[in-house]
Amino acid sequence: DNLLFAPDRAEIVAVLDWELSTLGHPYADLAYQCMQWRLPHDLGFGNLGGLAGIDRAAIGIPGEAAYVADYCRRRGIGGIAGWNACLAFSFFRLAAICQGVYKRALDGNASNPERGIRHGDLVPVLAGLAVRLIDEGE
């Protein structure tokens, strides 16, 4: 959501809102990106929808497992222990961001108050996805 791509090729030309990247463990950023594979695409929020339910292979996007396996191969590691916990953290993190946007809308200082109010509806969806990941375990 925070990248601008060149219009004629798959090349990142700018990173926006850099403060949303973590300063902690690199798995946090990987999981935040990978949660898009599990986030429903039709949430009614424009660019906030994810890739779940989209034929990703048809548009050249690998599956989550293949993406993570490639990450592990490039890092020279065998896998990521506690992957569901990493993903759950990401969903809770996005839920907290949406809750903040919602609160700013309620307080009257959101850049788009109507859209900000709708972000409140996403909080239980995102938290529910996180809880399911925790319940599934490894």
Side-chain angles (χ1 to χ4, degrees):
D1 291 338
N2 294 342
L3 301 176
L4 293 178
F5 292 88
D8 57 343
R9 62 193 180 287
E11 180 183 338
I12 297 170
V13 295
V15 178
L16 309 173
D17 292 332
W18 189 255
E19 76 276 4
L20 288 178
S21 63
T22 64
L23 298 175
H25 203 285
Y27 295 168
D29 283 330
L30 178 65
Y32 195 71
Q33 183 179 28
C34 287
M35 78 173 173
Q36 298 301 318
W37 272 265
R38 297 166 184 252
L39 188 64
H41 75 281
D42 189 16
L43 291 172
F45 287 89
N47 67 347
L48 203 56
L51 297 170
I54 292 176
D55 184 0
R56 296 178 301 274
I59 56 176
I61 298 174
E64 177 189 335
Y67 189 80
V68 172
D70 191 44
Y71 173 88
C72 292
R73 181 186 57 76
R74 290 170 185 239
R75 289 268 331 273
I77 59 176
I80 300 174
W83 181 240
N84 276 7
C86 295
L87 288 167
F89 173 81
S90 292
F91 278 111
F92 281 131
R93 178 177 178 222
L94 184 55
I97 291 168
C98 289
Q99 183 68 32
V101 171
Y102 175 66
K103 175 66 170 135
R104 285 192 301 279
L106 291 177
D107 290 347
N109 60 10
S111 61
N112 184 332
E114 182 180 306
R115 186 175 166 111
I117 292 293
R118 292 186 5 229
H119 274 69
D121 296 335
L122 282 174
V123 174
V125 172
L126 297 167
L129 289 165
V131 168
R132 275 193 287 268
L133 284 161
I134 292 168
D135 288 343
E136 288 174 9
E138 213 37 52

